[in-house]
Amino acid sequence: MQDSLQAADVSVTLTPAAHGQADLTVERISDIAGLEALGPEWQALLQGNEADCLFLTWEWQSRWWRHVSQRRRLCLLTVRRGGELVAIAPFAIRPPEPGRLVPFRTLEFMGMGDVGSDYLDLIIRPDQEAPALEALADYLKQNRLVLDFRRVDAGSRRIAGLLALLRQDGWETQQEVTDVCPYIPLQGHDWKSYIATVSRSHRANVNRRIRRLGEIFKKVEFKQATTEEERRECFTQFLRLHQLRWSGKERSNAFTGEGTLAFHAEFSQLALERGWLRLFVLRLDGEPAAATYSFRYGDKFYYYQAGLDPKLAEHSVGLATLGLAVQSALKEGVRGYDMLHGNQGYKTLWTDSSRPLSRIYCYPPNAGGTLYRQAQGLRNSLKRVLRWPVARAEARA
């Protein structure tokens, strides 16, 4: 059964649900044409759904598949009742990686890799949750691939329900919190009331740094890209500032590689058209000093990436830019400012609230699942051995 999904690709495969609902079917979409055609239905199902977030939009997911899916195979599962779309499981099949002791293909969420998708989840119409989960579980039980779910919402009721159904059939799961997303609750706040919630030292530092920019420089501009021409110009400036920020010992792979750059070029253009893009550049006396590449989606603001000119670091342009971005979000009336995954210390200065993300393995009750789990244990042991000399040197320092 481990190889049951290696048959020749077809754009759609239908299987009847196995729990007494004759009008419930699972589709497997395995080509780009099927993914593109699903767009309007996907958007309608996601809108207002509990799982609704930027990274589960068809716009984000379809561009990810087009540009950075690499050697994965599309395994997008949809559940329909009488032809009506009621659930989406945005899955892809990752190929074996023998060099990393990953012996078999695994089923994972679309959106993995350097683009940094958070809060990945199943999209299910609330009144169809129970039968849709049963249909998806039946499909997975037939095909029996190891599940590797990363950066998923640790509290997702839908994922928990799917795993519970699989465990009833002997599947084993491992789950651990791997990331946190610092989150600033903004509902009911203006800038004055929000900044009063942070520490006194941080509050004083932010206000002083923003004020000092106006005293040191003749012209201070914090401008959002609102036209396609401005988007192209500001995105080019942002990329340069991001590269400057990470040009020292610390490195970032967020915008490396032709595919990743193509993804962001296309998605940022589409996000501008949708009204989601929040690309800001801080200019001091006409020169770009810092930038944030962010999004407004629904009632949330997503702080995605930033960049700055290290030559201006003495003026805390990164701190000032983040403060001005939060002010902009407050003026828009969003409910929250999500700083997304990452344990950078500066994020904790702005909030003490966070949302956990989990990595979940789910092993089918077959030889493939057993071998995969054993290989994973060996890989983890090797990692500990390789890290030991570094840890020992740090302990002696």
Side-chain angles (χ1 to χ4, degrees):
M1 297 300 292
Q2 187 65 219
D3 295 327
S4 61
L5 287 177
Q6 289 187 338
D9 277 341
V10 292
S11 60
V12 175
T13 302
L14 295 178
T15 59
H19 43 79
Q21 299 290 345
D23 60 343
L24 203 63
T25 58
V26 177
E27 288 184 355
R28 177 189 169 198
I29 296 175
S30 57
D31 65 13
I32 187 66
L35 173 59
E36 295 290 344
L38 191 62
E41 289 183 290
W42 184 317
Q43 292 170 298
L45 182 65
L46 183 63
Q47 189 173 11
N49 192 279
E50 187 178 69
D52 192 6
C53 73
L54 178 75
F55 306 109
L56 283 175
T57 61
W58 172 83
E59 289 86 350
W60 181 276
Q61 294 275 334
S62 62
R63 271 61 187 179
W64 174 86
W65 180 258
R66 183 181 299 172
H67 295 294
V68 290
S69 56
Q70 298 179 327
R71 297 192 303 117
R72 296 173 177 87
R73 292 174 55 205
L74 189 61
C75 187
L76 175 61
L77 303 181
T78 62
V79 182
R80 294 182 181 273
R81 180 182 292 279
E84 182 182 3
L85 183 67
V86 298
I88 298 173
F91 293 151
I93 299 173
R94 191 173 75 237
E97 300 174 272
R100 296 181 59 245
L101 296 180
V102 181
F104 299 113
R105 295 166 307 123
T106 54
L107 196 67
E108 64 180 14
F109 277 103
M110 296 169 61
M112 287 292 91
D114 294 338
V115 299
S117 309
D118 290 340
Y119 307 117
L120 298 175
D121 207 337
L122 306 169
I123 308 168
I124 306 177
R125 205 173 82 186
D127 64 338
Q128 298 295 317
E129 190 168 293
L133 287 174
E134 289 183 29
L136 290 170
D138 289 342
Y139 185 94
L140 296 177
K141 290 173 185 178
Q142 293 174 30
N143 292 286
R144 300 200 170 202
L145 290 179
V146 172
L147 310 183
D148 182 3
F149 294 164
R150 288 170 283 170
R151 290 188 186 156
V152 299
D153 182 351
S156 170
R157 185 182 66 254
R158 293 156 297 281
I159 293 177
L162 179 66
L163 297 178
L165 290 169
L166 293 174
R167 283 195 295 268
Q168 291 176 8
D169 201 47
W171 293 53
E172 296 184 20
T173 59
Q174 293 179 357
Q175 180 171 353
E176 63 175 333
V177 173
T178 54
D179 294 284
V180 294
C181 297
Y183 181 85
I184 307 174
L186 292 179
Q187 188 175 14
H189 282 297
D190 57 16
W191 173 251
K192 185 177 180 180
S193 66
Y194 158 66
I195 202 67
T197 66
V198 305
S199 70
R200 180 180 299 179
S201 60
H202 184 58
R203 176 168 66 251
N205 192 32
V206 172
N207 286 330
R208 182 177 65 253
R209 292 298 185 176
I210 293 176
R211 183 178 65 251
R212 284 286 290 162
L213 290 180
E215 297 170 355
I216 296 171
F217 298 93
K218 296 179 180 179
K219 188 176 183 181
V220 178
E221 297 176 284
F222 185 69
K223 188 174 181 181
Q224 176 185 337
T226 58
T227 68
E228 174 57 21
E229 182 179 0
E230 290 174 347
R231 182 199 67 83
R232 289 195 298 267
E233 178 186 4
C234 290
F235 193 72
T236 299
Q237 292 171 349
F238 159 73
L239 287 176
R240 184 181 69 83
L241 291 166
H242 183 79
Q243 291 166 356
L244 286 172
R245 162 64 181 87
W246 297 100
S247 59
K249 292 182 179 180
E250 295 179 300
R251 296 290 176 177
S252 169
N253 59 0
F255 296 94
T256 58
E258 184 176 331
T260 303
L261 290 173
F263 167 83
H264 286 291
E266 184 171 347
F267 183 76
S268 64
Q269 181 180 13
L270 188 57
L272 177 65
E273 295 172 3
R274 298 287 193 270
W276 302 341
L277 184 65
R278 296 297 182 269
L279 177 58
F280 296 100
V281 176
L282 174 68
R283 295 183 178 88
L284 303 177
D285 291 341
E287 293 298 318
T292 68
Y293 175 42
S294 304
F295 304 95
R296 157 79 187 273
Y297 180 77
D299 60 3
K300 297 183 182 66
F301 193 105
Y302 295 92
Y303 181 74
Y304 185 77
Q305 279 287 353
L308 59 88
D309 188 340
K311 297 195 302 293
L312 297 168
E314 63 180 298
H315 302 298
S316 296
V317 291
L319 177 73
T321 299
L322 182 49
L324 292 169
V326 173
Q327 289 185 22
S328 178
L330 282 162
K331 290 176 182 177
E332 289 196 47
V334 299
R335 294 168 59 90
Y337 191 99
D338 199 322
M339 306 182 84
L340 302 177
H341 76 272
N343 60 357
Q344 297 90 338
Y346 75 88
K347 293 183 179 181
T348 61
L349 297 173
W350 296 89
T351 182
D352 57 5
S353 300
S354 63
R355 293 170 172 165
L357 299 177
S358 287
R359 184 167 190 172
I360 301 170
Y361 288 101
C362 191
Y363 307 101
N366 59 10
T370 300
L371 289 172
Y372 193 100
R373 187 167 57 251
Q374 292 173 346
Q376 183 185 12
L378 177 59
R379 186 170 67 250
N380 292 338
S381 297
L382 288 173
K383 286 181 179 179
R384 286 193 293 270
V385 170
L386 293 173
R387 285 198 299 263
W388 182 76
V390 176
R392 187 179 183 187
E394 290 176 347
R396 289 177 173 176

